[in-house]
Amino acid sequence: MTLWGAQAPDTVEVDLESGDDVLISGFGKFSARKKSPRRGRNPATGGDLILDARRVVNFKCSPVLRDKINGVG
């Protein structure tokens, strides 16, 4: 999905939940990706534990925005 102008955040949420990427032209791309179960550690007790598999939101900045932030162009 590509967003133009101001659209409701609910649209972004629905698209990410369904596995679709969300592209905001000139800003960047949001995508949902899967993380596998992994070993972790409880910082309070130092005990080992297994963290469940989950989905996380990933963001990749557009080259246009990156150049503006870095003062290029």
Side-chain angles (χ1 to χ4, degrees):
M1 172 187 172
T2 302
L3 292 178
W4 294 91
Q7 291 186 354
D10 294 338
T11 303
V12 174
E13 183 179 338
V14 168
D15 285 344
L16 289 173
E17 283 177 354
S18 67
D20 295 334
D21 293 344
V22 177
L23 175 67
I24 302 174
S25 184
F27 185 71
K29 180 172 94 172
F30 293 92
S31 58
R33 64 183 182 94
K34 295 178 183 177
K35 291 186 84 171
S36 301
R38 61 187 175 95
R39 289 189 303 166
R41 181 165 299 212
N42 182 333
T45 64
D48 291 332
L49 53 100
I50 299 295
L51 298 172
D52 294 334
R54 60 191 177 127
R55 292 177 60 195
V56 296
V57 175
N58 190 37
F59 175 75
K60 183 172 181 183
C61 183
S62 80
V64 173
L65 180 60
R66 186 180 312 114
D67 289 346
K68 285 183 181 179
I69 290 171
N70 292 319
V72 177

